[in-house]
């Protein structure tokens, strides 16, 4: 860990649960910054914009700004601009993320007269009913590309685990016989974009997350040191069944500074 210059941090389940700070998380993030390490919060959250997330975190005491956050919607906008510019997108998502989809043309999902070029899937919520999913299925049958911001199966809230869009995405892929292009975690391009933003190499960064597959092992496949926390959606049986082994497993984000160079705890 002596070569680490930057820390990539998932938010939900690592720093917060239901947007409430986990014990010691605020203090740990401050210590990491005081040690001179670069920090970027990387999240698949699709219910809020970067500005909204930053405002909530600042109110909770975290030393961050919108510029310190890379969201799946923001990465999706960059992906669409590069790979299918001017595409008409039918968005299936819970939450208003228009601000982070800068330059993306979103069509009215209920407009039967417009055939979209892309079916864009974000995070799950009440919007993921039969009618919306069947409409998306129809677009895919007519040749639309399937782009998903992530394929998370669930996330942790104060009331327990909640089903996420990955479960619905798998159904769409099977039914339409297509494979989704993933733009957030665990896509390698997402981690590479985070590294480029901080100006560091993969060997100089560490990724901290509560999802062993999408956060930790995906980061390790990109050459980044992976740290799994036993908070949020962490489940021992999921870790045991994982395709690989994290570089480090710690009880919570509060324990991270002790692993890092320049930390007062080291």
């Amino acid at each position: 860990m002596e070569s680490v210059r930057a820390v990539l941090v998932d938010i939900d389940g690592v720093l917060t649960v239901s947007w409430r700070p986990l014990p010691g998380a605020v203090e740990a993030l401050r210590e990491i910054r005081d040690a001179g390490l670069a920090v970027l919060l990387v999240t698949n959250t699709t219910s809020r914009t970067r500005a909204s997330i930053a405002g909530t975190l600042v109110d909770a005491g975290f030393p961050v700004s919108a510029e310190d956050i890379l969201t799946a919607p923001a990465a999706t906008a960059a992906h669409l601009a590069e790979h299918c510019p001017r595409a008409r997108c039918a968005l299936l998502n819970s939450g208003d993320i228009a601000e982070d989809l800068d330059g993306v043309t979103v069509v009215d999902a209920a407009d039967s007269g417009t055939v979209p070029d892309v079916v864009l899937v974000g995070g799950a919520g009440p919007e993921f009913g039969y009618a919306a999913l069947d409409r998306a299925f129809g677009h895919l049958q007519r040749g639309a590309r399937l782009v998903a911001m992530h394929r998370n199966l669930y996330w942790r809230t104060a009331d327990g685990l909640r089903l996420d869009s990955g479960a619905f995405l798998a159904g769409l892929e099977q039914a339409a016989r297509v494979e989704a292009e993933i733009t957030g975690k665990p896509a390698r391009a997402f981690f590479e974009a985070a590294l480029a933003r901080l100006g560091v190499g993969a060997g100089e960064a560490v990724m901290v997350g509560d999802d062993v597959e999408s956060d930790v092992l995906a980061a390790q496949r990109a050459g980044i040191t992976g740290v799994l926390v036993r908070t949020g959606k962490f489940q021992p049986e999921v870790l045991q069944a994982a395709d690989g082994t994290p570089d480090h497993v710690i009880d919570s984000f509060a324990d991270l500074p002790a692993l890092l160079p320049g930390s007062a705890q080291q």
Side-chain angles (χ1 to χ4, degrees):
M1 299 286 273
E2 290 301 321
S3 62
V4 171
R5 295 174 49 212
V7 182
L8 310 180
V9 188
D10 183 31
I11 299 174
D12 193 20
V14 178
L15 298 180
T16 67
V17 168
S18 293
W19 300 105
R20 297 171 185 159
L22 286 167
V26 171
E27 295 78 8
L29 189 59
R30 289 188 180 278
E31 184 172 349
I32 291 167
R33 284 203 180 280
D34 290 343
L37 299 173
V39 173
L40 186 65
L41 308 187
V42 289
T43 177
N44 278 348
T45 297
T46 55
S47 60
R48 297 188 179 201
T49 63
R50 293 189 308 148
S52 173
I53 292 170
T56 298
L57 294 178
V58 168
D59 288 344
F62 288 101
V64 299
S65 69
E67 295 304 311
D68 298 320
I69 302 172
L70 177 62
T71 65
T76 299
H79 174 88
L80 292 172
E82 178 179 356
H83 296 283
C84 37
R86 297 180 296 280
R88 295 164 298 177
C89 301
L91 176 63
L92 181 55
N93 180 70
S94 185
D96 183 6
I97 54 172
E99 183 179 318
D100 279 359
L101 289 176
D102 184 42
V104 176
T105 300
V106 178
V107 301
D108 185 350
D111 182 3
S112 59
T114 300
V115 179
D117 305 297
V118 174
V119 170
L120 183 57
V121 179
E127 296 81 358
F128 281 64
Y130 176 81
L133 289 166
D134 187 55
R135 188 181 303 117
F137 174 54
H139 295 325
L140 296 174
Q141 286 183 296
R142 289 187 287 274
R145 296 170 66 165
L146 179 58
V147 177
M149 299 182 198
H150 61 75
R151 55 168 71 253
N152 294 355
L153 295 173
Y154 49 82
W155 80 97
R156 172 75 65 181
T157 72
D159 297 321
L161 296 177
R162 298 293 188 185
L163 195 65
D164 209 343
S165 54
F168 303 101
L169 182 64
L172 286 174
E173 288 178 314
Q174 288 291 317
R177 298 181 181 180
V178 298
E179 183 176 351
E181 303 167 39
I182 308 299
T183 54
K185 296 176 293 182
R188 186 185 185 98
F190 184 86
F191 291 104
E192 291 175 345
L195 295 174
R197 190 159 176 171
L198 294 177
V200 300
E204 299 173 303
V206 59
M207 171 67 207
V208 189
D210 66 330
D211 187 319
V212 64
E213 295 289 350
S214 292
D215 291 336
V216 180
L217 298 183
Q220 289 177 191
R221 286 191 287 271
I224 301 168
T225 298
V227 178
L228 179 68
V229 293
R230 296 189 184 96
T231 56
K233 67 169 66 172
F234 171 82
Q235 297 180 84
E237 60 272 25
V238 175
L239 174 58
Q240 290 177 348
D243 292 335
T245 304
D247 293 305
H248 301 273
V249 181
I250 57 179
D251 285 337
S252 73
F253 185 74
D255 298 318
L256 182 68
L259 293 177
L260 301 175
S263 167
Q265 297 180 38
Q266 189 178 42

